[in-house]
Amino acid sequence: TRYCGPECQVQHWKEGGHDQLCKPTKKAGGAEQYNANTRYTEAVAAAVQKCAEDTKGQTCYICTQALHWKTKEGLVRGCACRGTAGFAHVSCLAEQAKILVAEAEENNLDWKAKSLRWKRWHTCGLCEQDYHGVVRGALAWACWKTYLGRPETNQVRNMTMSILGNGLFKAGHLEDALSVYESRLSLVRRNGKSEVAILVAQSNISSTYEVLGRYDEAVLIKRDVYFGRLRLGGEEHEETLRAANNYASSLLTTDRFGEAKSLLLKTIPVARRVLGENKDLTLRMRLGYAAAIYRDPGATLEDLREAVTTLEDAERIARRVLGGAHPVVAGGFEASLQEARAVLRARSA
């Protein structure tokens, strides 16, 4: 939707607000760009507020200032950096990512080089871990407002839709994320994109279904995505492993513990070999495997001891690599370890 036409003007003249809304909309380049700019500003403010306690007395590692020179925004940190590392302005992170992607396009770099630069829209350049929560959401809006003006067939614009959906999901805006994911699936099908692009879009929709409580719909899509990835990329491809973990998670949610355990027993050794022990995906898979054991009513004492041992070992690695504040540690391993130990004590009594 572009700048308002005659009907819109009449409505605004009757109800007021035309000068306040439509002129800024036109100046921004249209309603879609205006909305993206507005949502970005709101997301940055929310991220800065959320990180305020953690960022007191710090400076941006990119521009070295506490307040951004132009926007006057404060600092954020939503990755695995610790100590004095990783503090930055969302605007600085966005500008850095924008420059890297532009250089890749201008120099016609190969896909691998472009992908590494593109990751800066959602991954910290210091600790190399994904941003999370409201910081991820703010960066997603930064990415979307940067590239939304490109044609819908443009590859970067299509990738930006995924960045936006994922960012909204990580920030907890689930209905908004689902809307973006569904639009993305419609777009890739309309433009005749590859099967991989369709699998990505389906995977995002299924994950959102699950969080929204639509479990039966989610598990069916995740099963199809996993086998699709396995067929296209083989068992060692990172996206196959990610799809396996997503499918296992959905199986756990629907109490199909045996199926989840069997799947993870097969895929975790591959993840350890290909990705390494420190990768957050490997850690999440081990977390899921332990949950498949201790949440199963038919688990033996030996099974439960294995679950606790697995969680203790993986939790130490996660805390060292990701930091204690990371959601995988604080909301994942700590809670699961408490639950597993409680189940073991109850069964041993």
Side-chain angles (χ1 to χ4, degrees):
T1 305
R2 297 298 177 186
Y3 178 58
C4 62
E7 292 182 0
C8 180
Q9 281 188 323
V10 170
Q11 180 183 0
H12 281 299
W13 284 337
K14 289 180 178 179
E15 300 177 3
H18 184 269
D19 289 343
Q20 288 71 41
L21 176 62
C22 291
K23 285 185 178 179
T25 298
K26 183 178 181 180
K27 183 178 180 182
E32 191 172 23
Q33 187 69 61
Y34 177 79
N35 177 66
N37 294 346
T38 301
R39 294 292 298 271
Y40 166 71
T41 300
E42 295 170 350
V44 170
V48 169
Q49 183 178 13
K50 181 74 173 180
C51 299
E53 189 64 33
D54 187 37
T55 60
K56 282 182 179 178
Q58 304 297 329
T59 57
C60 176
Y61 79 89
I62 299 172
C63 74
T64 71
Q65 301 298 311
L67 290 177
H68 191 272
W69 67 276
K70 184 176 182 180
T71 66
K72 306 304 178 185
E73 72 194 69
L75 298 166
V76 300
R77 183 169 70 169
C79 55
C81 285
R82 287 173 287 178
T84 58
F87 297 103
H89 303 113
V90 174
S91 293
C92 289
L93 294 171
E95 185 64 20
Q96 192 177 67
K98 181 180 177 181
I99 291 171
L100 288 170
V101 172
E103 288 177 347
E105 290 184 310
E106 290 169 6
N107 296 311
N108 197 28
L109 299 182
D110 62 29
W111 176 244
K112 183 177 180 180
K114 286 181 179 178
S115 297
L116 288 174
R117 289 166 176 254
W118 181 256
K119 286 178 66 176
R120 295 299 284 275
W121 279 113
H122 60 86
T123 304
C124 175
L126 299 178
C127 68
E128 300 183 349
Q129 299 294 336
D130 282 346
Y131 289 105
H132 53 80
V134 289
V135 176
R136 179 77 171 266
L139 269 174
W141 279 114
C143 185
W144 177 243
K145 82 182 188 72
T146 300
Y147 302 115
L148 70 85
R150 297 191 180 193
E152 70 168 28
T153 54
N154 180 266
Q155 184 181 42
V156 168
R157 188 186 189 276
N158 290 335
M159 292 168 65
T160 299
M161 288 191 74
S162 293
I163 290 287
L164 178 60
N166 293 342
L168 290 168
F169 183 91
K170 295 294 184 180
H173 304 301
L174 301 178
E175 294 291 352
D176 287 342
L178 182 59
S179 178
V180 173
Y181 289 148
E182 290 173 338
S183 296
R184 166 71 175 154
L185 179 59
S186 176
L187 179 66
V188 297
R189 284 175 168 163
R190 186 166 65 248
N191 292 337
K193 294 294 183 180
S194 68
E195 188 174 352
V196 169
I198 293 174
L199 289 173
V200 169
Q202 290 176 319
S203 179
N204 290 332
I205 289 173
S206 68
S207 295
T208 312
Y209 278 167
E210 190 167 65
V211 179
L212 289 171
R214 297 164 65 172
Y215 304 122
D216 292 336
E217 294 169 275
V219 73
L220 292 175
I221 297 176
K222 289 188 178 186
R223 180 197 60 195
D224 292 343
V225 170
Y226 167 61
F227 284 111
R229 285 289 188 180
L230 185 63
R231 175 171 50 81
L232 292 175
E235 68 173 10
E236 293 190 349
H237 197 290
E238 183 172 351
E239 292 306 322
T240 302
L241 293 169
R242 194 178 307 279
N245 186 55
N246 290 339
Y247 181 31
S249 174
S250 201
L251 290 169
L252 284 172
T253 302
T254 52
D255 294 340
R256 293 158 66 175
F257 305 115
E259 292 177 67
K261 180 180 176 182
S262 177
L263 175 61
L264 291 170
L265 268 175
K266 180 172 62 177
T267 53
I268 286 175
V270 181
R272 291 171 121 168
R273 183 177 71 251
V274 176
L275 305 178
E277 295 281 358
N278 295 342
K279 185 71 173 181
D280 67 336
L281 177 55
T282 306
L283 294 168
R284 290 176 189 272
M285 293 175 79
R286 297 185 69 189
L287 176 62
Y289 173 71
I293 296 174
Y294 78 77
R295 289 172 53 189
D296 187 349
T300 66
L301 282 176
E302 183 178 351
D303 291 335
L304 294 174
R305 293 189 186 99
E306 180 189 3
V308 171
T309 300
T310 298
L311 287 170
E312 288 174 341
D313 180 60
E315 192 268 349
R316 282 193 294 268
I317 297 173
R319 187 175 295 278
R320 172 173 53 81
V321 175
L322 304 176
H326 195 281
V328 173
V329 179
F333 280 105
E334 289 181 356
S336 293
L337 194 51
Q338 290 179 2
E339 291 176 11
R341 285 169 173 165
V343 173
L344 178 59
R345 284 196 299 269
R347 295 279 187 90
S348 300

